[in-house]
Amino acid sequence: MKLVFAGTPEVAVPALDALIASGRHEVAAVVTRPDAPAGRGRRLVASPVAERAEEAGIEVLKPLKPRDPEFLARLTEIAPDCCPVVAYGALLPRVALDIPAHGWVNLHFSLLPAWRGAAPVQHAVMAGDEITGAATFLIEEGLDSGPVYGTVTEEIRPTDTSGDLLTRLAFAGAGLLAATMDGIEEGTLKAVPQPAEGISLAPKITVEDAEVEWATPALRVDRVVRGCTPAPGAWTTFRGERLKLIQVRPVPERTDLAPGQPAVGKNSVHVGTGSYAVELLWVQAQGKKPMRAADWARGVRVAEGERLG
């Protein structure tokens, strides 16, 4: 088939690579978000998908909005058979959805209908799910509600951050998306409507959502930290300043600390929660680089009676 691939961040690159490497389909063009300011100089930088497409000599389309007439005209001119999508980052209007003969097929990082929305991996980790996966589905105008072509499953490991899990899903999902394109071309793959039960929503995680509440149980604190790493980054406050929490570890044997109460040992920092303590392993103070929590605690000299949060 002739394909137009839509995607923007690094997590979409393995799928683009898989489609290029398959040699079975022609990736005629790539659709991605416009260049965005990045770094200290805030200079405009192309998306990871745009960079990869340019390396491969593939035409790159960067519409401000997918309903832009120039973009729709070019897409009509290319006349793709199907448009595979991974984390493109913009809503597709009906007029765009109708252009490819086989529609737009999205690779979504959850087992639909669970965790429809922008942040399925973060929500799966924060909810304590043991199994997640990826699904390919036909895009409709509803939120991740279209019929499903295929799935792959992935275990969520006890120490997984959302970044760890998303990396594994990006590669597992790349193979799934390529196989889905093959099945659509062969006519052997039919999309199956999602069940009406088991729907859960995964809206974008905000900075406010990422604040650790020390009165919640240790397992919840651990899940919030892992689910919000690397983005947007879990945090608490200390002496009125934000302290980023990069890695923590539940310590079930320690139950003598009140929520938010720190206990600094020679090489450890324990903090009380609503159940038992967690050990802070890596933190990042405002304006500083990430550091071991024990080094941070020695530097700030935590006093008796001080609290986090």
Side-chain angles (χ1 to χ4, degrees), residues 101-192:
H102 295 286
W104 297 65
V105 176
N106 192 41
L107 172 64
H108 183 77
F109 297 115
S110 80
L111 296 175
L112 292 168
W115 304 126
R116 294 176 178 175
V121 175
Q122 290 98 320
H123 280 275
V125 173
M126 290 169 72
D129 292 358
E130 294 180 355
I131 299 289
T132 187
T136 49
F137 72 94
L138 183 66
I139 294 181
E140 300 177 338
E141 288 183 281
L143 176 66
D144 300 334
S145 60
V148 172
Y149 281 107
T151 59
V152 290
T153 58
E154 182 71 34
E155 181 185 357
I156 301 180
R157 300 167 188 169
T159 57
D160 270 342
T161 65
S162 61
D164 298 332
L165 184 55
L166 192 54
T167 297
R168 296 204 305 276
L169 287 171
F171 285 93
L176 173 65
L177 186 62
T180 301
M181 293 299 107
D182 295 348
I184 290 172
E185 184 203 18
E186 292 163 357
T188 57
L189 200 55
K190 296 285 182 271
V192 177

Side-chain angles (χ1 to χ4, degrees), residues 222-255:
D222 176 52
R223 289 169 184 169
V224 168
V225 172
R226 290 189 294 113
C228 293
T229 300
W235 60 278
T236 186
T237 54
F238 182 72
R239 295 177 186 165
E241 291 195 343
R242 191 169 291 187
L243 178 69
K244 189 174 179 180
L245 303 174
I246 298 171
Q247 188 181 14
V248 304
R249 179 179 70 87
V251 186
E253 60 272 18
R254 180 136 202 196
T255 58

Side-chain angles (χ1 to χ4, degrees), residues 67-75:
R67 62 175 66 254
D68 288 354
E70 283 182 23
F71 165 68
L72 293 172
R74 180 60 188 136
L75 192 62

